[in-house]
Amino acid sequence: MRSKESRIDFVHYSKYFYIFSIVITIAGIVALAALGLNYGVDFKSGSSVDVKSTKDLSAQRQEIESYLQAGEFGKHNAPTFGDNRMTIRFDEVLSQSKEEQLKTDLKAKFDPGSSVEVNTVDVEIARELQWNALKAMLLACIGIIIYIAIRFEWRFGLAAVVALVHDAFIVISVFSIFRLEVNLPFIVAILTIIGYSINDTIVIFDRIRENLRFAKIKTFKDYIKVVNDSVWQTMTRSINTALTVLFAALALFIFGSESIRLFSLAMLVGLFSGAYSSIFIASPLWLLMKKNSKSKPASAGNPAAS
Amino acid sequence: MKRMLAFLIIVVVSFGVIGWTSPALLDKTRLGLDLKGGFEILYQAKPLNEGSKVTRESLTETAKSLEKRVNKDGVSEPEVTTEGTDRIRIRIAGMDEAKEAKLREDLVKPANLTFRSAIGCAKEAGYCKVELTGSDFKEGGASVQRDDFGRYQINIKLKDAAQFAKVTAEVAKLAVTGNNQLAIYLDENQLSAPAVSSTINSSDAQITGGYTQEEAMNIRDTINLGALPLKLEVKYTQSVGASLGKQSLDDTIFAGLVGTIFIVLFMLVFYRVPGIAASVSLIIYTWLLLAAHIALNATLTLPGIAAFILGIGIAVDANILTAERIKEEMRSGKSLLSAFRAGSKTSLRTIIDSHVTTIIAAGVLFFIGVGSVKGFAITLLLSIIISLISNVVVSRYLLWLMIKSGKFNKPGYYGVKESEIRAL
């Protein structure tokens, strides 16, 4: 019935994609081990001051820096300037009086119309949130495996979870390698990526399940054909869905506020990885597990048998 | 014709309702701190006396009295919540900086009024034993009075005269060593240390110390702000300038609009007739999600907006899946109506499986997550459920109406080329 056949042998090429993913994963592990993540203020005790001004403050760079020196605010990065914005990162938590002093002085000396955002965090809380998110993700993965094992079979569940862990890890690796700052919204971005990755993978698995029902499986080659056809049949949908979500994430990256820019970047990387892994990693992985379990022909768990 | 009319009426009426109610809905949406501005403090509670424990009751009592303090300053809707066994989180949205500084000071410095004695203390330890704490005094019971010589003093009322009698009796016994003072502390500041020479069987106590009227009144106000049953340590504070929060929101809404317009255009160009149904239901979906947030009194934060976007992605995916399936069925030579039926049926199972899997993940995040993880999960759960309604029920009904109207019979309207259609 589904006569649209694949013109590309995805399964055959999958070993190159495995190699590609493994290389990135190893690079990520090395980067994580050697450099760790570039934690932002959420994970380092300290204060980050974000100033929104009515005029461009970068012209007064010198004055601002000498003011900060004279004001004894402790060690801090040189202020970074954006579009009517300025960010200063202090290595130590500003006391309340220092914070007030900074706010009033910035208004009085540099820009009366400025508005100031001060973020101070106790590392403990951020770490706790990180662990909490990790724990929640682990349990969510177990839940996903159980559900897919009931509706499909356990190999699909395992392959889907490997794909989503892969996506999360790719994003973490990219942030580690390029030294991008990791803050609390990063955790949320990872969650979003995982949500997208599952959705993407399930659709292809669903098609494999459906095609298996109509396929006459005699040799392992028939499995390969089913996977290739399923991936090909869902290709338009995979690309189009990825494109639409990409529109949303890209709009957020370009037009969204400064505070969620890195968040949108994490989403963008994750979306690419999610679309890639569900096509090139998840389905071939299922096949691989199927192959290893197939010591005898006419394996169990083949829906065609029913 | 009738069906085309029904389709048009549904579209016009729903867009009318959306256009008419959206400004009010946006107005009513409760925005989180990151979008609206305001501040957030997380306290860790510790017992006043070493060795005792933070109980559930004392934690809630502390939270309640913190809430009272915030409300006293005329701030609307502070959010005071207890977390875990020993934490209290306060969120106050939309307040100006001057007010914030004052309130923060009041909150950060919770006045712990204590009476301490030197019973059982080493010589250099001073008054190390806490005899009476915040909860032993009557709430709001402090007042300023003048003694017989016209000096200002602060009167405090105790809840239990018998308890005061017991404490003073013990302290009076130390008269022989000269350590028979009952020192009065506000936090770690000693206000006075009057000597107790005999048992005082009264519910009144005085703080004297040669205060000016202003000083006395300040101390009275600090005491009356509430004696907290627990000691609080600031763990985390975040403050967002209101205009900065507004800017973030405007930027994010603009980005969302641009993204939505692109998605709608893409759907219309690529999927034609099913794209129209998808676009209409996508707009209805966005409106329903906003309405659901208000109905549940949920707060919309930046992580929530992230979930919102993921939700739109999943919603569009449901439409794409259906449209692609219909295309496939049409290519295999089925008639338009039977292609619609078959395509809807087969894609429904896919949609349900992918939605349920996401619901499981979001559900786990909701029950286990805290803070922004939970906020993300709430919006994601809502968006998946609403996506199922809008993209399965609404979208399909609209498409069915259009197909049945007989005005869109050409395969080209569904993105299928005539040459692709094979004979059945």
Side-chain angles (χ1 to χ4, degrees):
Chain A
M1 178 179 153
R2 316 263 150 228
S3 47
K4 191 176 162 190
E5 281 178 14
S6 171
R7 275 163 259 172
I8 302 170
D9 190 350
F10 297 98
V11 176
H12 177 71
Y13 291 116
S14 66
K15 57 174 176 257
Y16 301 111
F17 294 113
Y18 285 147
I19 293 170
F20 176 71
S21 284
I22 288 169
V23 166
I24 290 197
T25 308
I26 289 173
I29 290 172
V30 170
L32 271 177
L35 305 163
L37 283 169
N38 178 19
Y39 282 117
V41 69
D42 286 353
F43 292 101
K44 272 195 286 193
S45 45
S47 291
S48 157
V49 176
D50 200 5
V51 184
K52 187 177 153 273
S53 49
T54 50
K55 57 182 179 189
D56 194 7
L57 284 176
S58 57
Q60 284 170 285
R61 187 187 293 264
Q62 289 291 323
E63 288 91 326
I64 292 170
E65 279 183 25
S66 51
Y67 159 73
L68 289 173
Q69 291 294 332
E72 292 182 344
F73 288 103
K75 228 178 133 194
H76 60 84
N77 291 1
T80 50
F81 296 93
D83 218 21
N84 284 350
R85 266 169 195 282
M86 175 177 74
T87 311
I88 316 163
R89 168 81 169 80
F90 295 95
D91 282 6
E92 259 155 56
V93 180
L94 290 181
S95 67
Q96 202 173 320
S97 59
K98 279 280 173 207
E99 197 182 309
E100 292 304 323
Q101 185 193 335
L102 187 69
K103 280 186 187 177
T104 35
D105 284 355
L106 280 175
K107 276 199 173 139
K109 288 188 179 142
F110 302 105
D111 181 10
S114 63
S115 106
V116 181
E117 181 181 329
V118 181
N119 280 302
T120 307
V121 84
D122 189 306
V123 200
E124 204 183 305
I125 300 297
R127 293 263 174 230
E128 230 166 75
L129 191 71
Q130 203 180 14
W131 279 116
N132 177 271
L134 202 63
K135 200 171 72 183
M137 280 188 235
L138 274 178
L139 276 171
C141 285
I142 294 171
I144 290 166
I145 292 182
I146 293 174
Y147 178 75
I148 299 181
I150 294 169
R151 291 281 297 163
F152 296 72
E153 63 161 354
W154 65 268
R155 289 182 195 89
F156 280 118
L158 201 60
V161 166
V162 169
L164 74 85
V165 170
H166 165 271
D167 299 333
F169 195 76
I170 292 266
V171 180
I172 295 170
S173 302
V174 167
F175 269 63
S176 172
I177 292 168
F178 293 102
R179 312 308 302 146
L180 297 167
E181 203 173 75
V182 170
N183 275 314
L184 285 181
F186 183 75
I187 293 177
V188 176
I190 298 281
L191 298 180
T192 315
I193 291 158
I194 287 179
Y196 171 76
S197 176
I198 300 167
N199 185 65
D200 217 24
T201 310
I202 292 287
V203 171
I204 299 179
F205 282 178
D206 176 74
R207 186 54 83 102
I208 295 178
R209 174 177 64 176
E210 188 189 311
N211 285 341
L212 278 175
R213 197 171 301 163
F214 297 104
K216 290 189 175 59
I217 303 287
K218 289 196 191 72
T219 61
F220 187 69
K221 275 208 175 113
D222 295 327
Y223 275 120
I224 295 177
K225 188 177 170 334
V226 164
V227 168
N228 276 332
D229 288 351
S230 305
V231 169
W232 186 251
Q233 283 158 5
T234 49
M235 194 54 103
T236 322
R237 170 262 157 199
S238 295
I239 292 172
N240 285 354
T241 299
L243 271 181
T244 52
V245 190
L246 221 55
F247 285 149
L250 207 59
L252 206 62
F253 179 65
I254 297 170
F255 303 111
S257 71
E258 195 67 39
S259 53
I260 52 171
R261 185 132 308 157
L262 279 176
F263 166 83
S264 335
L265 184 67
M267 292 259 289
L268 279 175
V269 176
L271 287 178
F272 275 111
S273 172
Y276 156 82
S277 74
S278 42
I279 294 172
F280 300 112
I281 301 291
S283 311
L285 202 62
W286 171 79
L287 204 57
L288 197 70
M289 284 190 270
K290 200 81 183 163
K291 186 182 187 177
N292 290 340
S293 73
K294 255 189 76 120
S295 45
K296 44 191 175 209
S299 78
N302 178 6
S306 60
Chain B
M1 195 60 217
K2 249 161 95 189
R3 280 175 178 127
M4 197 58 215
L5 200 66
F7 169 78
L8 287 175
I9 288 173
I10 290 174
V11 172
V12 169
V13 168
S14 50
F15 277 22
V17 169
I18 290 169
W20 179 51
T21 53
S22 284
L25 276 186
L26 279 173
D27 217 39
K28 267 195 191 160
T29 308
R30 262 179 48 165
L31 300 173
L33 287 179
D34 42 3
L35 298 178
K36 195 180 179 185
F39 75 100
E40 176 176 1
I41 301 180
L42 184 68
Y43 288 114
Q44 174 130 39
K46 293 211 166 121
L48 290 177
N49 298 313
E50 260 177 64
S52 57
K53 274 183 185 158
V54 176
T55 61
R56 189 79 229 152
E57 292 76 40
S58 62
L59 193 68
T60 9
E61 204 184 313
T62 311
K64 269 188 205 152
S65 81
L66 281 176
E67 197 168 351
K68 254 189 237 160
R69 289 175 185 214
V70 181
N71 272 330
K72 209 170 199 166
D73 283 41
V75 182
S76 56
E77 288 186 63
E79 235 181 273
V80 183
T81 46
T82 57
E83 278 183 14
T85 52
D86 60 351
R87 283 183 187 159
I88 298 173
R89 190 188 291 272
I90 303 180
R91 284 202 191 90
I92 302 157
M95 66 178 339
D96 60 68
E97 256 167 54
K99 259 191 179 170
E100 184 197 315
K102 164 92 178 69
L103 187 66
R104 256 176 94 158
E105 205 166 284
D106 289 347
L107 283 171
V108 171
K109 286 206 154 193
N112 284 319
L113 188 68
T114 47
F115 280 21
R116 305 178 191 180
S117 75
I119 295 172
C121 298
K123 250 201 181 130
E124 57 279 5
Y127 307 105
C128 71
K129 187 172 180 232
V130 176
E131 299 281 1
L132 297 166
T133 66
S135 49
D136 295 323
F137 305 105
K138 259 198 188 143
E139 281 166 48
S143 59
V144 172
Q145 279 179 0
R146 296 174 81 163
D147 68 8
D148 299 341
F149 304 98
R151 290 177 302 202
Y152 289 99
Q153 64 177 40
I154 300 114
N155 276 20
I156 343 167
K157 289 217 180 303
L158 282 124
K159 280 184 184 157
D160 187 2
Q163 192 190 7
F164 196 38
K166 203 177 141 210
V167 169
T168 45
E170 289 293 316
V171 175
K173 280 182 195 159
L174 289 181
V176 276
T177 60
N179 282 338
N180 58 332
Q181 291 90 2
L182 190 60
I184 304 170
Y185 279 79
L186 196 56
D187 293 325
E188 289 310 307
N189 297 323
Q190 186 183 319
L191 295 178
S192 66
V196 179
S197 43
S198 61
T199 307
I200 307 171
N201 194 1
S202 156
S203 59
D204 289 304
Q206 285 84 34
I207 305 169
T208 54
Y211 298 115
T212 66
Q213 186 180 10
E214 211 192 326
E215 282 167 347
M217 281 164 78
N218 271 339
I219 294 173
R220 175 200 65 189
D221 289 345
T222 320
I223 295 172
N224 277 347
L225 260 180
L228 297 171
L230 295 168
K231 198 155 72 185
L232 296 176
E233 258 172 35
V234 181
K235 279 263 134 199
Y236 167 90
T237 70
Q238 184 187 31
S239 77
V240 186
S243 61
L244 200 60
K246 182 85 174 61
Q247 182 69 38
S248 301
L249 181 66
D250 289 348
D251 286 349
T252 310
I253 286 182
F254 178 72
L257 275 177
V258 171
T260 311
I261 289 170
F262 264 105
I263 291 173
V264 166
L265 281 178
F266 177 83
M267 291 301 284
L268 289 179
V269 171
F270 208 93
Y271 291 107
R272 325 276 165 90
V273 173
I276 297 173
S279 300
V280 173
S281 60
L282 205 61
I283 291 164
I284 295 176
Y285 155 84
T286 313
W287 179 81
L288 279 175
L289 191 50
L290 206 61
H293 265 91
I294 293 162
L296 290 178
N297 209 13
T299 312
L300 194 65
T301 55
L302 278 179
I305 286 179
F308 212 104
I309 290 168
L310 176 62
I312 286 182
I314 294 175
V316 176
D317 189 44
N319 278 302
I320 290 183
L321 276 169
T322 314
E324 280 293 333
R325 277 292 182 153
I326 293 174
K327 267 164 83 171
E328 257 178 66
E329 302 290 346
M330 283 174 76
R331 283 190 189 121
S332 73
K334 282 202 175 115
S335 76
L336 181 55
L337 199 62
S338 60
F340 168 75
R341 290 212 174 105
S344 299
K345 208 181 125 199
T346 41
S347 61
L348 183 65
R349 209 185 42 185
T350 318
I351 292 171
I352 294 211
D353 268 338
S354 70
H355 277 59
V356 170
T357 319
T358 317
I359 285 177
I360 289 172
V364 172
L365 294 181
F366 175 75
F367 284 112
I368 293 174
V370 291
S372 53
V373 177
K374 205 181 194 98
F376 174 82
I378 291 173
T379 308
L380 188 55
L381 276 174
L382 281 178
S383 64
I384 297 167
I385 292 161
I386 293 171
S387 161
L388 268 175
I389 297 167
S390 63
N391 297 290
V392 176
V393 181
V394 177
S395 176
R396 275 167 195 207
Y397 184 62
L398 289 177
L399 189 54
W400 182 78
L401 281 178
M402 280 192 282
I403 289 171
K404 282 292 249 185
S405 76
K407 294 210 180 310
F408 306 97
N409 287 337
K410 270 198 225 153
Y413 289 146
Y414 301 84
V416 176
K417 289 191 197 107
E418 303 264 5
S419 58
E420 291 173 331
I421 300 173
R422 281 171 288 109
L424 201 58

